[in-house]
Amino acid sequence: MNPIWLKALVLGCIFGAVLLAADALIRWYASGRTEGNAINRRLKLIGQGRTQGETMNLLRRSDSALPVGLPAPVALLGHKFERMLIAAQVTIPTGRLMLIILLAPVVLFFFLLMLLMVIGAPIGFGRLLILATFSGVAGGLLPLMFVQFKANRTRKKMQDQFPLALDVFVRGLRAGHPIAAALDLLTVEMPDPIGSQFGIVVDEVTYGAELRDALQAMADRWQLEDMRMFVVSLSVQSETGGNLAEILENLSTVIRERQSMMLKVRALSSEGRMTAIMLTALPVLAFTGLFLGNPSFYLDVSDDPWFVPGFVGLLLLYVVGFVTIRRMVDLKV
């Protein structure tokens, strides 16, 4: 056989094999992703052998890791951190995660300090300040920014899913199901994050809690006005009576109109919000990337007498700018 034709045949076989392998890989990934989206995290944990009580405590973080007697501002920040972990759907225990975030910058700082001592580089106050700043940013600030980003994305998804969950709940009521059975329908039919959250409500009611208290606890965990209106609607209907399906259908319409207004506000303020994101994240990422790629860019000038005052002033200006920008783009609808 002609060597040219033989080479073409071999290349054609290789191309076909790669094409079939890529197609099989894509189909496997797509099927696994579809299967993962068809079931929520609560059902996955139960399917792994956990009891309903263990799953409920893990997802809602009922046991706070904050010590008693903390000052009010510190306790407020701690509770906000725990709510952020709930929204980000992080299942690591709060105490362990807080310990990791606190120790990671310290470990990274001493590792970099030992590295400078090994290579014989001089160690001054400016270099220690640079190392401490980089350790705090890479070991603490960037992980917190990632968790905050994930929490905001999950909270937005929860807010988008809530009207659909109300529609499923109303259909269950009109089909003749009681309230508990209609809620249990949401835990099976709805994906994460709202499916797992209503599953926590069902588990709490199963363990003896009042339905109103369980729903109010869910609204407090997520800090969403739509959930609070839902809880108020159920409370008023339970006290005064009325057609609950019709009340919740009207509430679903109001929530959708409110979300439409919020989308208009987000569209009009998108430029300012994107500017805030860039001005907040870009300095942190640029400092971290430049220090990793070329640490001498900072270390060579760290012994200058004006370096420490200039660097501290730069950090203060960044904090002032961050707080100012957050207040400018924090729009309430």
Side-chain angles (χ1 to χ4, degrees), residues 237-251:
Q237 191 274 338
S238 63
E239 295 177 358
T240 62
N243 191 345
L244 181 59
E246 184 178 356
I247 294 173
L248 295 181
E249 187 176 9
N250 295 332
L251 177 61

Side-chain angles (χ1 to χ4, degrees), residues 289-330:
L290 188 58
F291 188 86
L292 289 175
N294 185 20
S296 60
F297 181 84
Y298 295 104
L299 297 179
D300 289 346
V301 297
S302 59
D303 295 330
D304 190 276
W306 286 99
F307 174 79
V308 174
F311 191 74
V312 173
L314 183 64
L315 293 178
L316 293 177
L317 288 177
Y318 175 79
V319 173
V320 172
F322 173 77
V323 174
T324 304
I325 291 173
R326 288 295 298 269
R327 289 186 177 182
M328 290 175 62
V329 299
D330 188 14

Side-chain angles (χ1 to χ4, degrees), residues 50-161:
R50 297 180 184 269
T51 63
Q52 289 186 343
E54 293 174 349
T55 303
M56 179 178 62
N57 292 329
L58 187 62
L59 291 177
R60 72 175 182 175
R61 293 181 178 272
S62 56
D63 299 329
S64 177
L66 299 177
V68 181
L70 290 176
V74 178
L76 181 61
L77 289 176
H79 290 305
K80 286 185 177 180
F81 178 71
E82 289 185 334
R83 285 199 299 267
M84 181 178 67
L85 295 181
I86 293 174
Q89 294 185 318
V90 178
T91 56
I92 303 175
T94 305
R96 185 186 305 173
L97 187 60
M98 293 177 65
L99 184 63
I100 291 174
I101 293 178
L102 291 175
L103 289 181
V106 178
V107 173
L108 184 59
F109 173 76
F110 281 104
F111 173 77
L112 295 175
L113 184 62
M114 292 181 61
L115 186 61
L116 287 182
M117 295 174 63
V118 168
I119 64 177
I123 299 176
F125 183 74
R127 297 198 172 193
L128 292 178
L129 180 61
I130 284 289
L131 294 182
T133 304
F134 174 77
S135 302
V137 169
L141 185 58
L142 287 181
L144 287 177
M145 290 176 64
F146 174 74
V147 174
Q148 181 66 47
F149 170 76
K150 189 176 179 181
N152 292 336
R153 187 176 61 179
T154 307
R155 187 177 287 110
K156 183 179 181 301
K157 187 176 180 181
M158 183 90 169
Q159 196 169 7
D160 294 339
Q161 288 178 335

